[in-house]
Amino acid sequence: MMAGKQHPRALQPSQANGFWVDSTQSRPLVAGVETGGTKTVFGLAAVEDPTTILLQHRIETTSPEETLAAVDAAFASWTASLPVTALGVASFGPLDVESSSPTYGTIFDTPKRKWEGISLLAGLSAVAAKPTVVYSDVTAAALGEATNPEARNENLLYLTVGTGIGLGITLDGKPLQGRGYPEGGHLFVRRHKSDRFAGICPLHEDCAEGLAAGPAVQSRMADGEKPDEILEVVAYTLAQVILSGLYFTAAETVVVGGGVSSIRNLREVTAEHLALLRSPTAPPTIRAPRHEHSGLVGAMRGAALLANAAP
Ligand SMILES: [Zn+2]
């Protein structure tokens, strides 16, 4: 912003515990965090507009103690000095998302061994004073992407294709999550007629994730498969996951993100396969995520839902 256009009263940040905050902020706020495999992002947004991140920090995800201590310091600072009304936590899993469970917010057995058995909520002191919601990262991302102001009650499928395949769903604008969350990456799919790759899912070998997630793509490349062949098989696989999702939800929006989605033309070729597979009614457009950190936006939105539901 141009210096001459700054509003003198609205832009007077004060530094508390190393985190810049706007001390003149008077609107009710929510704080959110998304812990990822390599980076953790956390920030603040207004309850009335949770998709606009007012303040954001990004740190490397290291040990759980160090990572959560950094987030805790920010949350504690914000809740002490600002009108923060609720918190949202989004994390990689597997994790306990059942709010009535004694281990709510605890990460289960994970390849990230240091995080196994870690309670995300126990590491955040502000949780004791503020209502808090916990989502899987993919469910949060779906909620973060279901933010089209013209379609407030969106049915949306969010597919992330990276080290695994994750499927997040919102129905009528609300995240599909309760005792657990969707695990659509492990759907069983038909194999492409030209495909001889064995599949690498440790549970099922050739489920969708075993055929088309990042490690499968790398393994295919090492086996000498050509980029066009990989594109074809991955798109065919993703189209089937999306088709199943559409049959169950009649979603009008499909978002595909994650590292593998950067394969050139992947969304377009997936859409072509979806059409060939007789997608119900008109197949929706497959778009890229709107937000850089959809999971953080979803955590904010979930916290805002809590804040608005509070008596
Ligand atoms: Zn599987």
Side-chain angles (χ1 to χ4, degrees):
M1 186 183 287
M2 297 281 288
K5 290 188 177 177
Q6 287 183 353
H7 193 291
R9 194 167 53 81
L11 291 171
Q12 293 176 342
S14 64
Q15 197 174 26
N17 294 347
F19 296 100
W20 288 95
V21 295
D22 179 352
S23 58
T24 64
Q25 182 66 247
S26 59
R27 290 182 296 173
L29 301 173
V30 286
V33 57
E34 179 186 10
T35 59
T38 58
K39 63 184 182 301
T40 292
V41 286
F42 49 100
L44 285 168
V47 170
E48 64 188 19
D49 182 16
T51 64
T52 301
I53 307 291
L54 299 172
L55 178 70
Q56 181 179 305
H57 291 278
R58 172 181 162 144
I59 59 172
E60 298 298 314
T61 302
T62 55
S63 68
E65 295 77 16
E66 187 178 31
T67 307
L68 291 175
V71 179
D72 188 43
F75 278 16
S77 164
W78 295 337
T79 50
S81 58
L82 294 165
V84 174
T85 56
L87 309 173
V89 176
S91 176
F92 60 83
L95 82 160
D96 188 346
V97 295
E98 185 179 0
S99 59
S100 61
S101 164
T103 54
Y104 184 47
T106 298
I107 295 176
F108 298 135
D109 55 324
T110 165
K112 304 172 183 67
R113 308 305 294 186
K114 286 190 223 165
W115 287 81
E116 195 171 314
I118 293 294
S119 167
L120 299 168
L121 300 188
L124 300 173
S125 56
V127 167
K130 304 292 175 187
T132 304
V133 66
V134 178
Y135 294 133
S136 80
D137 48 4
V138 188
T139 297
L143 186 59
E145 286 296 321
T147 52
N148 180 355
E150 293 84 45
R152 301 181 72 87
N153 298 320
E154 215 163 0
N155 296 330
L156 178 144
L157 304 180
Y158 179 93
L159 207 61
T160 180
V161 193
T163 52
I165 295 180
L167 176 67
I169 297 173
T170 65
L171 295 176
D172 204 20
K174 298 190 178 64
L176 180 61
Q177 180 175 279
R179 297 185 66 185
Y181 42 85
E183 288 280 12
H186 291 286
L187 280 171
F188 296 159
V189 294
R190 270 190 200 162
R191 282 175 159 277
H192 193 279
K193 60 182 184 303
S194 68
D195 191 21
R196 300 289 175 268
F197 183 69
I200 57 170
C201 173
L203 301 176
H204 316 110
E205 293 191 340
D206 62 352
C207 65
E209 182 169 302
L211 291 173
V217 169
Q218 287 175 342
S219 187
R220 289 174 180 280
M221 290 166 68
D223 288 351
E225 288 188 35
K226 297 187 173 57
D228 281 358
E229 296 169 342
I230 294 173
L231 170 63
E232 177 71 8
V233 169
V234 171
Y236 181 62
T237 303
L238 298 184
Q240 293 179 73
V241 175
I242 292 167
L243 182 70
S244 297
L246 293 176
Y247 279 142
F248 282 116
T249 66
E252 64 268 19
T253 306
V254 178
V255 180
V256 176
V260 173
S261 70
S262 62
I263 292 178
R264 189 175 159 81
N265 293 331
L266 180 64
R267 292 187 191 88
E268 291 79 0
V269 178
T270 300
E272 288 170 15
H273 277 294
L274 192 55
L276 290 171
L277 288 166
R278 308 285 178 95
S279 167
T281 63
T285 307
I286 299 175
R287 67 165 171 84
R290 286 200 184 99
H291 303 288
E292 182 185 4
H293 300 299
S294 307
L296 177 61
V297 174
M300 300 287 197
R301 195 156 179 232
L305 290 173
L306 264 189
N308 288 328

